[in-house]
Amino acid sequence: MSIHAEALDWQIDEDIVRITEKYSEGFDLIVAADVLYKIENLWPFASTCSKLLQHAYSSKKLNSRCIVCYQLRNEHLLKVFENSILPFHGLRMEEIEVCHEDQNDDGESNRKSSLTADHIKYTRIIELFLLQETSIPASASAQPESCKAIFL
C-alpha cells in the first residue's frame, strides 16, 4: 500500500480547487486538527469539509472519512457548529470515543489510553458525514492499494 498526503489551507478557495483537480479520483481520508476554536473559522471549515466529501463521494470514494480532532474550549461554539453550521453545509457529526476505562477484578480503573485525565476531558474527536450519505456498500470497505489523505 502506498500513502499520499497533501496539506490544504481550507480558507483559500484556490487551494480547495487545486486539491480536487489534483485528486480527481477522490481521496480516502481528510484529517483536521485543532481547527474548532474561533467562531469565524467554523463556516469556511464546514464549507471546505462539505466540498471535499462531496468531491470524494462523486468520485465513487464512498468510504472516504473526515476526522476532526480538537480541544474543547467552548461548549457553546461546538453546539453552534453542530446544530447550525454543519446542517447548513449538508453535514452531520458523530463523536468518536477517545478512550474508555475498564475495571479490573479489584474494581480499579484500567485506562485504555496513554492520555491523561485532562486530555480525555478536553480532547474530542469527531467524524463528519454528508447528510444525504447512504449506507456504504460492502465492496467499498475493501482495503485500497493506496491511500490519499488531505490534512487541514
Side-chain angles (χ1 to χ4, degrees), residues 1-61:
M1 174 195 288
S2 64
I3 297 177
H4 307 269
E6 186 85 30
L8 178 139
D9 186 335
W10 48 270
Q11 295 187 344
I12 300 174
D13 287 336
E14 293 81 14
D15 215 23
I16 300 165
V17 171
R18 177 186 62 81
I19 291 292
T20 55
E21 288 176 351
K22 182 175 181 177
Y23 296 99
S24 60
E25 73 283 0
F27 26 79
D28 305 293
L29 182 63
I30 303 162
V31 178
D34 206 20
V35 295
L36 303 178
Y37 56 91
K38 287 185 179 178
I39 195 145
E40 62 267 19
N41 290 344
L42 301 181
W43 191 272
F45 176 70
S47 175
T48 297
C49 291
S50 179
K51 289 173 187 174
L52 292 175
L53 283 171
Q54 288 175 17
H55 172 73
Y57 281 43
S58 69
S59 302
K60 306 297 185 230
K61 288 281 192 174

Side-chain angles (χ1 to χ4, degrees), residues 38-133:
K38 287 185 179 178
I39 195 145
E40 62 267 19
N41 290 344
L42 301 181
W43 191 272
F45 176 70
S47 175
T48 297
C49 291
S50 179
K51 289 173 187 174
L52 292 175
L53 283 171
Q54 288 175 17
H55 172 73
Y57 281 43
S58 69
S59 302
K60 306 297 185 230
K61 288 281 192 174
L62 301 179
N63 57 347
S64 294
R65 300 184 73 183
C66 181
I67 307 295
V68 181
C69 180
Y70 63 96
Q71 179 181 351
L72 184 61
R73 295 177 176 94
N74 182 330
E75 194 77 41
H76 174 72
L77 192 78
L78 182 62
K79 292 295 180 197
V80 169
F81 184 66
E82 180 178 12
N83 298 324
S84 299
I85 295 173
L86 288 179
F88 182 88
H89 291 286
L91 297 169
R92 66 180 175 84
M93 66 179 243
E94 289 181 14
E95 190 160 344
I96 298 172
E97 187 176 343
V98 175
C99 83
H100 63 89
E101 295 183 4
D102 287 337
Q103 291 186 347
N104 63 20
D105 294 337
D106 298 327
E108 295 177 13
S109 176
N110 290 328
R111 184 156 288 159
K112 298 282 188 179
S113 169
S114 62
L115 297 174
T116 67
D118 282 341
H119 284 115
I120 293 166
K121 184 177 179 181
Y122 297 110
T123 300
R124 299 288 188 270
I125 301 174
I126 57 174
E127 183 166 0
L128 300 181
F129 299 91
L130 292 174
L131 285 174
Q132 70 270 20
E133 177 185 337

